[in-house]
Amino acid sequence: MNFIDQIIEEDIRQGKNDAKVHTRFPPEPNGYLHIGHAKSICLNFGMAKKYNGLCNLRFDDTNPVKEDTEYVDSIKEDIQWLGFQWAAEYYASDYFDQLYIWAEQLIQEGLAYVDDSTQEEISKNRGVPTAPGIESPYRNRSVEENLDLFRRMRAGEFPDGSRVLRAKIDMASPNMHFRDPIMYRILHATHHRTGDKWCIYPMYDFAHGQSDSIEGITHSICTLEFEVHRPLYDWFCEALRIHHPQQIEFARLNMTYTIMSKRKMLQLVKEHHVNGWDDPRMPTICGLRRRGYTAESIRNFAEAVGVAKRDNIIDVSLLDFCAREHLNKVATRTMTVLDPVKLIIDNYPEDQVEEMEAVNNPEDPNAGTRKVPFAKELWIERADFRENADKKFYRLSIDREVRLKYAYIIKCTHIVKDDAGNITEIHCTYDPNTRSGMPDSNRKVKATIHWASVKHAKKAEIRIFDRLFAVPDPDNCEEGKTFLDNLNPESLKIQEGWVEPGLTLEKVMDTKYYQFERLGYFYADPDSTEEKLVFNKTVSLKQ
Ligand code: ATP
Ligand code: MG
């Protein structure tokens, strides 16, 4: 049980909020969601589920300049893919009328004023935490003058940035957020939902708590950077005498070799460092999905990370661990050869083809079996043969035996090389009695290797990813450098692979999650066509 559970259970015990739990996930639709948001989603929706409550989806769309419906759609898709459904879908912009009424109310009560100071003057006069700030010369305007100016701000009479509405709280407060925070600014911009109806927009602090309040949110869970905003959150709820949700902060998720900022992700996309928001190297939810992480593995990761009160950095290998653990249970096994060298079975009949029965998933008896064609000429991995093998190398070498998975034991006889000394053919003989069901099928050899029939296998494109960043903390840069200087230039390698002929476009798009035996987990990429399948490597089989 984490500390948020404890707070909620105590509230329920005391009958607070009629013992109900109502949370929300409040993204700003200014980019795609990343794995950090997934943590917040799992927490908010998870708490609601655990305590038989509800969780809203609320778009925090108070900044028209950066927001877009493209982002709204992607956010909804990602939440649903993660396995959650919101009780209701709301927009902070739905509350612009109410927020405006509340702003006038605070003006009427002498708790807000219109300030004509410039941005620079306002920040300068706010001062530093150790010394009181300087009160604005406009601070003591009359209610009438404030109301008149605020209404004219709304009516569009003033240019952007010329005036703001500020709460009149305490210019000497040690909490900088209390030094007359800005409530409204003038912004002549078209909003993705309200169009040109408004040219003044509420600031986060004047919108968030009130939106929570309107929706009857009980526990407003957010990340630690909002801890210093909490007194203000409380102040507005009290000043307006409205339902007062409890804001609870937890540590945001940070992960090694990753950046977790929409602004930086946007830069990666816009400057073509990656191929879009859903590039499998991206920390976005859609990128992780396309990489082949399952929703369940991301949920398990969020659970494993836990809920902390202090900032920390999670090792990205934990996410890979969670992926392997789930994919091992669900991924369909298949044999693919990625770095092929030709194996010729000299004593195998020239035109014979046998259909070998292969197990689709040893972890799942219901997954059944499939047939894989076997013939005289096969592709095997170059790394599974070694000319000068030492004692520790158990795979194929001259005069040594291995088992070809689901087929026979073979013994290497000789190899053929080209002029440059590269091995072009490996010759072997097979023992017909070692096929499954035959008398010697249980004969033990030290290694089993996978294969693909040269005549039958299909060529596919295999995308192998490395970390997008070369260093564990990409945001930590030297003078004059940016996180972009920490990009890993080798993060994408495109290879060819030989896949089983049974993998049709229709089938792989349906199955999606594969384990290429002995190589790792792979995901069927939507770029796949009838002519060419494309797979993304999700993770290797082992750390
Ligand atoms: P960014 O800095 O990437 O723009 P943000 O915090 O501005 O992120 P929002 O859309 O405001 O993004 O976030 C929606 C919710 O997700 C907020 O409640 C926020 O606290 C939470 N969140 C964002 N990033 C993380 C993270 N790394 N870990 C946990 N929760 C996060
Ligand atoms: Mg934000």
Side-chain angles (χ1 to χ4, degrees):
M1 195 157 84
N2 63 54
F3 77 97
I4 300 182
D5 284 312
Q6 283 170 0
I7 293 172
I8 292 179
E9 290 189 9
E10 180 60 19
D11 287 347
I12 292 173
R13 210 181 52 77
Q14 291 187 4
K16 199 174 159 188
N17 305 304
D18 300 327
K20 288 203 174 74
V21 173
H22 201 153
T23 57
R24 86 288 171 266
F25 174 65
E28 182 178 354
N30 63 348
Y32 283 64
L33 298 180
H34 52 59
I35 180 84
H37 294 115
K39 168 73 213 172
S40 177
I41 290 167
C42 291
L43 188 56
N44 278 295
F45 284 91
M47 287 291 168
K49 199 174 202 167
K50 183 166 176 186
Y51 296 106
N52 287 318
L54 301 170
C55 181
N56 291 351
L57 169 59
R58 177 180 342 116
F59 291 100
D60 217 330
D61 56 350
T62 53
N63 183 2
V65 183
K66 291 184 184 159
E67 294 160 1
D68 199 88
T69 38
E70 174 197 347
Y71 301 133
V72 169
D73 295 340
S74 76
I75 288 169
K76 291 203 273 191
E77 183 183 353
D78 288 348
I79 297 171
Q80 282 172 324
W81 178 76
L82 276 176
F84 299 106
Q85 187 57 52
W86 43 92
E89 175 185 337
Y90 292 120
Y91 294 78
S93 57
D94 294 339
Y95 311 135
F96 282 172
D97 286 302
Q98 178 63 64
L99 292 169
Y100 180 84
I101 291 168
W102 278 333
E104 284 208 353
Q105 181 186 324
L106 294 184
I107 294 173
Q108 299 274 14
E109 296 181 15
L111 293 173
Y113 63 97
V114 173
D115 194 338
D116 305 355
S117 307
T118 63
Q119 267 303 327
E120 294 72 42
E121 286 165 340
I122 290 176
S123 16
K124 196 168 120 262
N125 291 337
R126 205 165 252 150
V128 292
T130 46
I134 298 168
E135 292 189 356
S136 164
Y138 306 98
R139 196 173 198 260
N140 294 312
R141 275 176 162 153
S142 68
V143 167
E144 291 67 36
E145 189 182 1
N146 279 322
L147 262 187
D148 174 60
L149 286 171
F150 187 51
R151 286 176 184 165
R152 286 164 59 196
M153 277 170 63
R154 180 193 183 167
E157 287 187 30
F158 309 122
D160 288 2
S162 57
R163 288 187 163 86
V164 291
L165 183 73
R166 297 177 75 175
K168 192 171 177 175
I169 308 181
D170 180 4
M171 287 303 288
S173 171
N175 182 336
M176 298 298 286
H177 295 277
F178 258 34
R179 296 191 181 178
D180 292 9
I182 297 172
M183 294 163 59
Y184 270 92
R185 69 211 148 133
I186 302 173
L187 208 56
H188 292 267
T190 305
H191 187 277
H192 73 105
R193 296 189 83 236
T194 57
D196 293 323
K197 177 172 174 193
W198 296 90
C199 62
I200 56 171
Y201 289 93
M203 303 298 288
Y204 171 87
D205 286 315
F206 192 66
H208 200 89
Q210 287 87 319
S211 303
D212 284 345
S213 180
I214 292 169
E215 291 173 23
I217 299 305
T218 56
H219 301 85
S220 179
I221 302 169
C222 61
T223 38
L224 275 182
E225 66 270 26
F226 293 103
E227 191 171 9
V228 286
H229 294 250
R230 183 173 6 111
L232 191 52
Y233 183 108
D234 295 339
W235 190 89
F236 280 124
C237 285
E238 294 303 316
L240 293 168
R241 299 177 292 278
I242 55 179
H243 163 67
H244 188 160
Q246 180 181 1
Q247 177 178 307
I248 305 169
E249 307 88 13
F250 73 102
R252 63 191 290 128
L253 171 69
N254 299 301
M255 208 162 67
T256 53
Y257 297 96
T258 315
I259 47 134
M260 213 88 85
S261 144
K262 283 184 278 193
R263 182 178 61 77
K264 288 177 184 157
M265 294 195 306
L266 182 66
Q267 199 178 348
L268 290 173
V269 172
K270 284 256 157 80
E271 296 176 9
H272 303 287
H273 300 290
V274 294
N275 302 315
W277 288 99
D278 67 346
D279 186 303
R281 291 166 294 177
M282 286 282 272
T284 48
I285 296 177
C286 55
L288 295 169
R289 173 163 71 230
R290 189 163 177 182
R291 175 78 169 255
Y293 290 91
T294 59
E296 180 166 329
S297 64
I298 295 175
R299 292 197 303 267
N300 292 344
F301 169 73
E303 185 69 33
V305 163
V307 185
K309 272 188 188 174
R310 285 224 194 121
D311 276 318
N312 56 0
I313 300 180
I314 303 294
D315 200 305
V316 65
S317 61
L318 180 61
L319 179 61
D320 288 345
F321 171 83
C322 294
R324 283 187 195 100
E325 209 180 40
H326 186 228
L327 287 169
N328 182 44
K329 292 184 205 143
V330 299
T332 298
R333 271 56 170 177
T334 184
M335 291 194 289
T336 298
V337 177
L338 284 185
D339 182 18
V341 62
K342 197 177 270 182
L343 177 80
I344 300 169
I345 310 170
D346 290 320
N347 62 338
Y348 195 84
E350 196 69 40
D351 292 319
Q352 182 170 309
V353 177
E354 288 177 88
E355 295 290 339
M356 300 305 186
E357 182 158 32
V359 175
N360 287 334
N361 186 349
E363 303 289 319
D364 175 8
N366 297 324
T369 60
R370 66 188 185 283
K371 296 274 198 271
V372 187
F374 181 91
K376 186 182 179 75
E377 293 196 352
L378 305 172
W379 297 121
I380 62 168
E381 298 288 346
R382 205 163 269 278
D384 283 337
F385 177 84
R386 207 174 279 177
E387 198 177 355
N388 303 305
D390 61 18
K391 281 227 171 73
K392 284 194 199 131
F393 186 81
Y394 293 133
R395 287 163 282 165
L396 201 56
S397 189
I398 293 168
D399 290 334
R400 290 210 200 161
E401 287 185 321
V402 293
R403 174 175 287 281
L404 294 173
K405 186 136 197 181
Y406 303 121
Y408 299 99
I409 292 174
I410 54 158
K411 184 174 196 173
C412 177
T413 54
H414 63 287
I415 57 176
V416 178
K417 291 184 185 179
D418 64 14
D419 294 343
N422 302 311
I423 298 170
T424 52
E425 288 177 4
I426 298 170
H427 287 262
C428 67
T429 56
Y430 83 118
D431 177 351
N433 286 327
T434 53
R435 189 182 158 168
S436 134
M438 301 297 283
D440 291 340
S441 67
N442 289 326
R443 182 152 73 82
K444 290 275 179 287
V445 286
K446 287 223 168 100
T448 299
I449 65 173
H450 63 279
W451 48 272
S453 162
V454 169
K455 201 160 35 178
H456 302 93
K458 295 190 355 182
K459 216 186 238 183
E461 177 177 321
I462 317 291
R463 299 176 182 168
I464 313 268
F465 306 101
D466 197 351
R467 289 169 174 146
L468 185 54
F469 292 97
V471 297
D473 183 5
D475 281 321
N476 186 5
C477 328
E478 302 164 30
E479 273 283 305
K481 302 226 163 168
T482 72
F483 75 104
L484 295 173
D485 294 298
N486 289 326
L487 279 167
N488 173 8
E490 309 272 294
S491 60
L492 169 63
K493 280 207 192 81
I494 296 183
Q495 272 182 251
E496 276 178 345
W498 292 99
V499 303
E500 292 180 17
L503 298 189
T504 60
L505 179 64
E506 196 187 347
K507 196 172 227 165
V508 301
M509 284 299 131
D510 184 46
T511 304
K512 293 195 182 100
Y513 301 99
Y514 285 94
Q515 184 195 97
F516 289 0
E517 297 217 33
R518 302 178 60 233
L519 297 177
Y521 294 101
F522 290 78
Y523 181 75
D525 191 88
D527 282 348
S528 296
T529 61
E530 296 279 2
E531 288 69 43
K532 190 175 75 178
L533 300 179
V534 179
F535 289 92
N536 298 324
K537 183 168 182 183
T538 314
V539 279
S540 53
L541 289 181
K542 292 201 191 94
Q543 191 75 33

